[in-house]
Structures are given as C-alpha cells and as structure tokens.
Amino acid sequence: MDNLQWMSAAALGDAFRSGHLSPVEALEATLKRIAAIDPLVNAFVHCDAAGAVQAAQEAERDLRAGLDRGPLQGIPVGIKDIIDVAGLPCTCHSKILRDHVAASDAAAVAALRRAGAIIVGKLATHEFALGGPSFDLPFPPARNPWNRERHPGGSSSGAGAGLAAGLFPLALGTDTGGSIRNPASACGVVGLKPTYGLVSREGVFPLAPTLDHVGPMGRTVADVAAMLAVLAGHRPAGPHGGSSKGKHGDVRGFRIGYVRHFHERDMPAHPDVAAALDEVAAALAREGALIEEVTLPALNGFSSVNRILLQAEAWTIHARWLRERPEDYAESTRRRLLAGAFLTAEDYVLAQRRRRTLIEAVEAVMGTVDVLLTASAMDPPCRIDDAAEMARTYPRQARTPFNVTGHPALAMMAGLSSDGLPLSVQFVARYHAEATLLAIAAAWERIGGWQDWHPAALA
Amino acid sequence: MMAKRAPAGPDMSEVERQVRAAGLDRAWTQFRDDVLAAARQVAAQRDAATGVAAASEPWPPMIVTPVPTER
C-alpha cells in the first residue's frame, strides 16, 4: 500500500480488517521508516523493534482468529520516555536515570496493550518533562519535521516530531504546563490533555502531581478520540446527553467563547497566529456555531500560579538528586528545579488559593458556552539553537491556564505561517466534556483538511 | 522624569542561609550562577504574584467535579 506512513490508525484498522494489510506488514514498514527518518528528527530515545514485532504477530494472530480488540489493535504507538513500559528503559531523557529499566507497565500503557496496540518504543522528552530542548543530555533533542532547524515543542517533543514525520500514527504524552499541546501545536498534529485525573498517572514519572495529565496525541481527531476511549476505559459520553448535536462534525448551535484577550492584550501574538485564530472563529461561525467573545482572568495570573505549584511540587521529587548530584542535570533543568528550594509553604498555599479563584472564574465562563477557542502558541516555533529566542517565546502560550484549572483542552493545526511552519488553535471544554471538545476539533479538521498536511521534506 | 528603579536582587546572606537549609551546598559550590538565577526567579515571581487578601475561602485542595457535567 502507498503512503502507509501517513495512514491514520482508523485507516490502518480498516485495512487490517479488510485483509488489504496485516499488522506485521504495517509494523515492518513503520520500522523501516523509523530507521530511515528518525536520525533526522531524533523522535526516539529507544526503539523496541523486537518487542513490537512480537506484539504485531500476536495482533495478527488474534485478528485472524476473530478476536477483535477494537480500533487500536495492531496500531504502532510511541510512548514518552517518562512513562513506564515493562522491560524498556525509562530514562526521562536524563543522565540521572540513564540506566533505569521499568519493571512494569504504567496503567495507561497496560490499557493500550490490552487494546492490542503495538508499543514501538520510548520517545524523546525534555529532561524530566521540564523546560526546553537541551544539548547537554545523553540523547539529542527532537527536531521539528517541518523545519529541522526549529524546535518541535515539548516536553512531549518526540511524540510531536514522530507523528509529524510519519513514524507512528499515535503517541502517549504528558502535560503539566502544556507539554502535549505544545508539540501538537509546533508539529501540526492533534494533542489532547484530558480532564485532570481522567487518565491514570500510575507509572508515570511525576513532574508536579496536581498539574500532571496523561493524554493521547495523533494525526487525526478520530484517532485521538479512539485512543482516549482506551486510556479512559470508556468512550466519552455524547456531547449533549445523546442528542445529535455535534455528531459528524456538525457544529450548528454550538456556543463558542473566543478568548481573544489572551493573544491580543495579555501576550500579543505573532500576526500569523492572530490571523489564523480569527479564521478558525470565522470558519466555525460559517458552519453555524455561535461565536461570542469572552473574558477570562489574564494569562500572567495563571502562569505565575502554575510556575509556583510546579516548582514547589517538582522540588519535593528532585531535592535529593539536586543535593547529591546536581552536575547530572542539564543546566536549564537544574536552574528551573532549584527554584523550588526558595519557595516557602506560604508561597505554595497562596498559589493554591489563587488557583481556586482562577478555577471559579473559568467555571463561571464555561457555564455560558460549550467550548472556549483560544491561542495555544503565540509564535511559530523558533530555531532550536537560539537560546535567547527560545527563552523569549517558550512561555508565550495559553496552555497553562487549563493545567491550573484541570479542564480538558486540545491543540491542533490552524494553517501554516508565512515561512511554512505550523500554526495552532486550542479548544477547551467543561470538565469531562471531551466528546464536545472532539466534536468541535473534528469540525475544524474537516474544514481545514489538516490531517492531509505533512512536511514536504519528509513525504 | 524619575528613573525606573531596578527590582531588588535577592539578599546574598539570605540566599546562602536558604541554600544551607535546603542542603544544596554542593550545587552552591559547583553551580552558584544557577542557584542565584533560581533565587532571582523566585523573588521576581513572588513580586509579580497577586495575593489572596481574605482569610476565608477559597482554600485548597482543588476540587474537580467528579461526574460528567455535559448537558
């Protein structure tokens, strides 16, 4: 079959069931592409070809025997390298855990295996899922397939890069301050941070437990929806109690709150980003959605709360290593983690109290709309080796508010910048309303046809 | 016109006291710049953060509605 590298999980599943392709054939093509392309984008820390072949053979045998485990059966999936996969390294992309091998599967990985997914390996991350790309670590940073001189976002950087490079159709990421949605935005794929707690964090190396989320990434909204159903253990309920609203990407009557002040006043966005967001709103309005401008608390209030909580919680996890082997961290990780030593109990409790006020403010607005439409990244991805520009642009984003509040949020492509880099949009829904979020995202995908946009250099 | 005053940096003796209390002597010896950068960052973000004035609600922990809220 042609263009196997860009096939969605759904299309692969159809091909398996119609007999046009087998899981083993699909995996062989996947491994061949990983061998050829991964050295260009560094998506993998560890590729488990042997384990994947064995799992593909099992999936093939089960399908032939009529044992259908659902849409992920036989589908290659990459796992961020802070998530345990039994028998594979779990290095957190760090010298500190370079020799660590996981004894058992994380709960999310176990759920994927039960659904017949093929674990192809462990994916690059920022060290311990914190900060930005570093060049002083045991593994190179992942690169953006749209332009390999640019950063791919992070910290689930290998997931974003590998999806955009056609190395696998699905990946498992984590998100504490935007780490699923950032690479989805930078690499032009789909990343969903579910409602806080919906997907188990058991077996995932923590960064900041009250902000950490585990979630799916893919090249299509339907694939992300299918993976979420497996991770959550159930298919999210219909968007409106079983009514037809939202089905088949029909957005007529949806009330969408456009948070324009995030990218106009709080952090003025690159003109290409602002234009893309206006186009998303206009296109959904043409489809029958009701767009209204809404106001949330300013972005810097969310980001300061996120930073204090993250640093305080991460300190409790890393304090011992920072005392005993600070030289084994990348410089940027060390600086960020050390900040936790200077925070007080008062700082943490006050940040938690401010968090409650922010949640109440967002909830008040969410009660008036079905979905929020906001910026994700304020800028197209910059050069990966430009430390000053990385430091300037990396915090310019509107993702952390929904780690602070725990609302489900999805980032996806919204076009290309004038220099050919992915632009993005973020949709946010009420707690546990992932189905609504996916319905809006599916509509925007249908309008833009983003699932068919791939980096030309890696076609 | 009055000149804009630069924000005060962290008090070095206070930083050193906190470093010792946190057991970061090794980092203080090897990576003093990183430690100071972290201390400066915390001081700046503490200045920027808006406090909660009242002693009453809201208080942590965060509460996430445990059941679907879709209509």
Side-chain angles (χ1 to χ4, degrees):
Chain A
M1 294 185 86
D2 293 336
N3 286 326
L4 223 142
Q5 70 271 26
W6 303 127
M7 282 176 74
S8 66
L12 285 169
D14 288 347
F16 295 159
R17 286 165 183 80
S18 67
H20 289 96
L21 186 69
S22 78
V24 172
E25 288 168 340
L27 181 69
E28 283 169 353
T30 295
L31 293 175
K32 206 169 152 188
R33 184 160 175 89
I34 290 169
I37 302 292
D38 191 54
L40 304 176
V41 296
N42 307 326
F44 280 88
V45 167
H46 178 83
C47 178
D48 181 28
V53 166
Q54 191 180 348
Q57 288 168 341
E58 282 171 25
E60 189 160 322
R61 206 166 43 237
D62 286 349
L63 277 169
R64 280 194 184 143
L67 182 56
D68 195 327
R69 298 182 190 276
L72 265 52
Q73 192 167 12
I75 304 298
V77 180
I79 309 292
K80 183 177 183 177
D81 196 31
I82 68 164
I83 303 171
D84 282 350
V85 176
L88 296 191
C90 191
T91 71
C92 298
H93 212 119
S94 177
K95 200 184 285 183
I96 304 246
L97 292 175
R98 185 163 45 186
D99 301 320
H100 173 66
V101 174
S104 56
D105 285 337
V109 171
L112 292 171
R113 283 200 205 273
R114 282 195 299 274
I118 311 297
I119 308 302
V120 286
K122 304 299 294 292
L123 304 175
T125 169
H126 298 160
E127 188 178 27
F128 290 108
L130 183 64
S134 300
F135 292 88
D136 51 349
L137 290 171
F139 314 100
R143 289 179 175 265
N144 195 319
W146 291 86
N147 180 337
R148 290 185 288 114
E149 301 303 314
R150 306 298 178 114
H151 77 78
S155 62
S156 307
S157 45
L163 287 164
L167 304 187
F168 38 77
L170 285 169
L172 186 63
T174 64
D175 191 318
T176 305
S179 288
I180 285 173
R181 293 160 288 157
N182 182 3
S185 301
C187 295
V189 297
V190 183
L192 170 59
K193 180 200 78 67
T195 303
Y196 180 76
L198 181 67
V199 177
S200 172
R201 299 186 306 277
E202 185 193 332
V204 179
F205 196 92
L207 175 55
T210 77
L211 298 163
D212 289 343
H213 299 66
V214 179
M217 298 174 68
R219 281 193 299 270
T220 73
V221 174
D223 283 0
V224 164
M227 187 167 171
L228 178 67
V230 167
L231 295 172
H234 63 89
R235 188 164 291 281
H240 292 277
S243 81
S244 61
K245 195 175 176 186
K247 282 189 177 166
H248 311 299
D250 178 1
V251 296
R252 280 176 296 179
F254 266 99
R255 289 168 301 161
I256 299 179
Y258 187 10
V259 192
R260 196 191 283 272
H261 68 87
F262 274 0
H263 67 274
E264 282 197 351
R265 190 177 65 229
D266 300 352
M267 284 182 191
H270 186 286
D272 290 352
V273 172
L277 292 167
D278 283 347
E279 175 52 26
V280 178
L284 291 170
R286 287 194 294 272
E287 296 277 319
L290 308 170
I291 311 288
E292 59 182 283
E293 211 166 311
V294 296
T295 303
L296 298 181
L299 268 178
N300 63 2
F302 290 102
S303 50
S304 64
V305 164
N306 184 275
R307 202 175 304 121
I308 290 169
L309 298 179
L310 191 155
Q311 288 169 343
E313 293 178 21
W315 166 256
T316 67
I317 293 154
H318 288 271
R320 185 176 158 195
W321 288 330
L322 286 165
R323 289 179 186 124
E324 294 176 358
R325 46 193 299 195
E327 66 279 9
D328 286 341
Y329 288 94
E331 181 187 326
S332 62
T333 318
R334 188 169 52 238
R335 285 191 175 203
R336 286 182 168 91
L337 288 173
L338 281 169
F342 298 96
L343 289 165
T344 63
E346 181 185 13
D347 292 326
Y348 185 77
V349 173
L350 284 176
Q352 284 285 22
R353 293 187 67 198
R354 284 197 295 277
R355 179 186 213 173
R356 286 289 304 276
T357 66
L358 293 170
I359 289 171
E360 285 166 7
V362 174
E363 278 287 87
V365 172
M366 290 300 305
T368 67
V369 296
D370 294 305
V371 176
L372 299 175
L373 186 168
T374 84
S376 173
M378 299 301 176
D379 306 278
C382 69
R383 286 186 64 90
I384 194 169
D385 57 356
D386 185 341
E389 190 62 359
M390 285 295 302
R392 186 187 74 81
T393 58
Y394 220 75
R396 283 173 41 78
Q397 47 99 346
R399 296 176 287 263
T400 50
F402 309 106
N403 294 89
V404 170
T405 67
H407 289 94
L410 179 150
M412 64 188 293
M413 198 166 184
L416 290 178
S417 67
S418 49
D419 50 356
L421 294 162
L423 300 169
S424 56
V425 59
Q426 175 174 240
F427 298 110
V428 184
R430 297 175 186 172
Y431 295 124
H432 297 283
E434 276 81 358
T436 304
L437 194 58
L438 291 161
I440 288 284
W444 175 235
E445 181 183 64
R446 175 176 52 75
I447 294 165
W450 312 117
Q451 69 277 18
D452 298 323
W453 291 39
H454 308 298
L458 299 180
Chain B
M1 201 166 95
M2 287 181 65
K4 200 172 178 181
R5 202 172 56 175
D11 177 313
M12 284 296 284
S13 59
E14 175 60 14
V15 169
E16 196 156 356
R17 189 194 63 75
Q18 288 178 291
V19 164
R20 304 287 178 216
L24 290 171
D25 304 71
R26 187 172 172 143
W28 185 239
T29 304
Q30 292 183 17
F31 305 106
R32 188 163 298 208
D33 286 350
D34 294 351
V35 175
L36 287 171
R40 269 188 227 107
Q41 188 198 332
V42 169
Q45 74 196 26
R46 191 178 282 135
D47 288 348
T50 314
V52 178
S56 58
E57 289 292 315
W59 281 93
M62 183 177 87
I63 296 169
V64 171
T65 317
V67 292
T69 56
E70 301 182 63
R71 294 165 305 156

